[in-house]
Amino acid sequence: MGKGRLEAFSDGVMAIIITIMVLELKVPHGATFAALMPLIPVFLSYILSFIYLAIYWNNHHHLLQAVRHVNGRILWANVHLLFWLSLILFVTAWMGENQFARLPVALYGTVLLFCAIAYLILTIMLIAHHGKESELAIAIGRDFKGKISLGFYVLGILLSFVNSWVACGIYAVVAAIWLIPDRRIERTLGSENLSNK
Amino acid sequence: MGKGRLEAFSDGVMAIIITIMVLELKVPHGATFAALMPLIPVFLSYILSFIYLAIYWNNHHHLLQAVRHVNGRILWANVHLLFWLSLILFVTAWMGENQFARLPVALYGTVLLFCAIAYLILTIMLIAHHGKESELAIAIGRDFKGKISLGFYVLGILLSFVNSWVACGIYAVVAAIWLIPDRRIERTLGSENLSNK
Amino acid sequence: MGKGRLEAFSDGVMAIIITIMVLELKVPHGATFAALMPLIPVFLSYILSFIYLAIYWNNHHHLLQAVRHVNGRILWANVHLLFWLSLILFVTAWMGENQFARLPVALYGTVLLFCAIAYLILTIMLIAHHGKESELAIAIGRDFKGKISLGFYVLGILLSFVNSWVACGIYAVVAAIWLIPDRRIERTLGSENLSNK
Amino acid sequence: MGKGRLEAFSDGVMAIIITIMVLELKVPHGATFAALMPLIPVFLSYILSFIYLAIYWNNHHHLLQAVRHVNGRILWANVHLLFWLSLILFVTAWMGENQFARLPVALYGTVLLFCAIAYLILTIMLIAHHGKESELAIAIGRDFKGKISLGFYVLGILLSFVNSWVACGIYAVVAAIWLIPDRRIERTLGSENLSNK
C-alpha cells in the first residue's frame, strides 16, 4: 500500500492545526498597546505550540521518507497521532487564556506526552512492518531523543503543580532538543535520492 | 480521467472537517477541573466523530486505491459524500452541547446513515464504471459491512428516542466494526505495488 | 511552468471554503425541533453554495486537465477566481441569517457573477497561452454555458429586488445547468490517458 | 531530501491562512447597506492581505521550482516564514476592526517586514545549499525587489505614526511591485520543462 495519501492527509491535518491555532489570538477591541497586553501569554503559548507542531511535521516528514509501504495498522497509528496533535489546539488556548496557570500547564504537558507516545507507537509499527534490519530501523536506532522526551514531559507535568513556569521551561527544553532535525535518518539516507515523490 | 485531484480534494475536505471539529471544544474561562467538566460530553462526541471521519478517510483511501479512472458521475457521488461528512461537524457539536439528548442523538445517527448511503452510492458508481469483473468489484464483494451498518444506524436512530445512550452505544459498535480496515481490498490487491501515486 | 502546485493550492482553498462554510450553521442551545427551525434558511443557503463550490471545483478540475503549462498571468487569474470564491462564504452566511432578504440575495448573485467573470478570464488567459488551435481551446469551444450563466446572474440580481425567492430560483437553475459536468472537455480528451498526475 | 512535502505543507498553510481570513468579515445582523458599512475597512484590509498572501504563494512557487533538494535548515527557514505569514491573519483583523488606526497599521507593517526577512533568510539558505553558481542563485540574482521592499516596510511603519493612510499606501505600492511575478526565475528557467512534479 502506498504512502502518498497518508502523507497528504497528515500534511493537511498538521497544516490546519498549526494555522487555526492563530485564531485563538482574539482581536482586541482597542487600538492601543494596553489592548494587546492581555494577549501576550496567548501569543507565547502560540509560539511554543507552533514550534511543537512544526517539529512533529518535520520529524513525520523525515520518518515517512524512510518508509517504503504502509498497512492498516500504520494508518491507524498515524490517525492516533493526529488525534493527540489536534488537542494541542485546545490546551494551547486554555493555557494562554489562563496565564499559564498550573492545571492548564499540566494538561498541556499531558497532551504533549500522549503525542510523544503516539509518535513512538507509530515508529514501532513502522519498524515492525519493515523489519529490524531495514533502513528505517537502522535510521531510527535506539530513539534516544524520543525516550528522553517522555521522561521530560512527565517531569514537566509533575513540576507544573509546584511552579508552572518551570514546567513550561522544561517543555521549551524538549522543543529545543528536537529543533535539530532528525539527523539520524537524514545521515543514513543521505546518499540516496529520496525526491521520487 | 485521473483520480489524483479527486483524492487531493477529498483528503483536504476530510482533513479540515476532522480538525476544525476540535474548535467545538470551547476553551473554558476558569483554570480548574470544575471548568473542564461541562466539556466532557463534547469531548466524547468529538472522539466518536474523529473515529468516524478517520474510518471514512481510511476506507476512501482503500477504495480509491483500486480505482483506475473516474468520470463526472463519480466526482459528484464523491462530492455528495463530502456534503454529508461536513454535516458531522454540526451534529457532533449539537449532540455534545446538549449532553447526548434524544433529538441530537437521532439527528447524529441520521447524518451517519446518509454518509453511509452516500458511500454506498459512490461504491456502486465506481463498480458501474469499472465493470463487475473488475478488480475493484471483486475487492468490494457483497459489501456485508456496508449493508449491516445501514441497519445498525436505523436501529440507533429509533432507539435514540427511547434511550440516547443505547443509540450512542450502537454507533460506537458500528465504528468498532469498521475500525478494522477494509481487509477485503487490501487482500485482493496485496500482491501488487500500489505506491505508484 | 508546471501546473501541479496551482492545482494543489486551488484544491486547498476550495476545500477549505466548502468546509468552513458549515461553521455558519451555528449550533442552537436547545435540543428541540423548534431550536433547529431558525437554521433552515442558513441550511438552504449552505446547500446552494456547497453545490456552487463543488461545480467550480469540478469545472476547474476539468479545465486544468486540458492545461499543459501555466504562466504568471494564469496564476494571477486563478488567484482572482479564488478571491471571489472566498467571498461566497460571507454572502452565504449573510443571506442565510437574513432569511433570503433582498439585498443579501442581490449581493449573493453579484458575488456569483464575479466568480463567473473570473472563471471566464481564467479560461481566456489559458486559451491565449495554449493557442486557438490547442486541444484546450477546442474543448472549451464557444463556452455557451459560461456566457448564458452571466446573463442569468444579472437577471437574478435585478429580480432579487422584486422577489428574492425568484432570484434564488434563478441561481438554482444556473447550478442545475452546471451540475452536468463539462462533457465538452471530457469528450474531447476522452480517448487519452490523463491520469499522469 | 525531496521538496514535495515542503511544497504540500506550505501550500496547505498558505491556502488556510488566505481562506480563513475571510471569516473576519463578521456577518452583520441587518440586511441593509447601512449594516454593511462598518465592514468596509475590514474588507479593504482583507483585499490587501489576500494580495500579499497570493504574492507570497506565487513567489514561493517560483522559488521552489528552481530548488533541487532541501535540508533540515531549509525546512526550518520555511516554517519560520509560515509563522510570520500566519500572523498576517491577526494584524489584518486588528487593522480592519480599528479603521486603520496608527498602532495596528504599524504592527501590520512590522509583520510584513518580518515576513520579508523570513523570505530573505529562506532564499539565503537555499542559495547556500545549492551553491552560488547554481541555476537558483543566478535566477534570484541580487534580489533587488526583495531588498527595496524591506526599506519600504520600515518607511511605512515609521509613517504610520504620522498618517496611517500614507503607510497603507506604501504597503499597497510594495504589493504592486511584487504583483509582477518573479520573471527573473521564470526567464532563467523558461526553456526547461519544470512540470515534472
Side-chain angles (χ1 to χ4, degrees), chain D residues 32-190:
Chain D
T32 61
F33 268 116
L36 284 182
M37 282 304 133
L39 284 176
I40 288 175
V42 184
F43 186 56
L44 290 177
S45 70
Y46 174 61
I47 293 174
L48 185 62
S49 295
F50 193 96
I51 292 171
Y52 261 110
L53 280 160
I55 289 167
Y56 271 102
W57 175 74
N58 218 320
N59 288 347
H60 194 271
H61 180 159
H62 279 80
L63 184 65
L64 266 287
Q65 276 203 320
V67 166
R68 293 286 164 259
H69 33 83
V70 296
N71 62 13
R73 294 178 75 186
I74 291 167
L75 293 184
W76 280 104
N78 192 61
V79 163
H80 178 240
L81 171 62
L82 297 177
F83 175 77
W84 288 106
L85 290 177
S86 80
L87 292 181
I88 287 181
L89 262 174
F90 175 76
V91 289
T92 301
W94 200 39
M95 186 169 79
E97 288 193 12
N98 290 287
Q99 288 85 35
F100 297 89
R102 294 175 180 193
L103 187 61
V105 170
L107 195 67
Y108 185 85
T110 307
V111 168
L112 288 183
L113 176 64
F114 277 98
C115 289
I117 292 171
Y119 191 82
L120 193 67
I121 293 171
L122 176 62
T123 311
I124 292 167
M125 294 278 183
L126 283 167
I127 293 178
H129 191 55
H130 287 74
K132 290 206 171 172
E133 306 304 317
S134 66
E135 190 181 55
L136 178 81
I138 295 160
I140 291 168
R142 290 182 309 142
D143 195 18
F144 183 67
K145 282 210 296 194
K147 277 160 195 160
I148 213 170
S149 299
L150 297 180
F152 271 118
Y153 292 138
V154 172
L155 189 69
I157 295 163
L158 293 175
L159 285 176
S160 66
F161 292 105
V162 181
N163 184 323
S164 62
W165 291 103
V166 173
C168 288
I170 290 171
Y171 304 153
V173 164
V174 180
I177 292 172
W178 281 102
L179 263 177
I180 305 140
D182 210 325
R183 296 207 176 279
R184 292 165 303 174
I185 293 179
E186 210 170 327
R187 204 182 302 128
T188 310
L189 302 180

Side-chain angles (χ1 to χ4, degrees), chain A residues 95-118:
Chain A
M95 187 169 79
E97 288 193 12
N98 289 287
Q99 289 83 34
F100 295 89
R102 294 177 180 192
L103 187 61
V105 170
L107 195 67
Y108 185 84
T110 308
V111 168
L112 288 183
L113 176 64
F114 278 98
C115 289
I117 291 171

Side-chain angles (χ1 to χ4, degrees), chain A residues 1-2 4-6 8-9 12-13 16-17 20 71-72 75-76 79 82-83 86-87 89-90 93-94 97-98 101 103-104, chain B residues 7 11 15-16 19 22 25 27-33 36 39 46 50 54-55 57-58 60-62 64-65 179 186 195:
Chain A
M1 207 195 304
R5 280 189 78 183
L6 177 68
F9 186 71
V13 170
I16 298 158
I17 296 171
I20 60 178
N71 61 13
L75 293 185
W76 281 104
V79 163
L82 296 177
F83 174 78
S86 79
L87 292 181
L89 263 174
F90 174 76
W94 199 39
E97 288 193 12
N98 289 287
L103 187 61
Chain B
E7 289 184 329
D11 279 352
I16 297 158
T19 316
V22 81
L25 282 170
V27 176
H29 289 296
T32 59
F33 267 116
L36 283 182
L39 285 176
Y46 173 61
F50 193 96
I55 288 167
W57 174 74
N58 219 318
H60 195 270
H61 179 160
H62 279 80
L64 266 287
Q65 276 202 320
L179 264 175
E186 210 171 325
S195 55

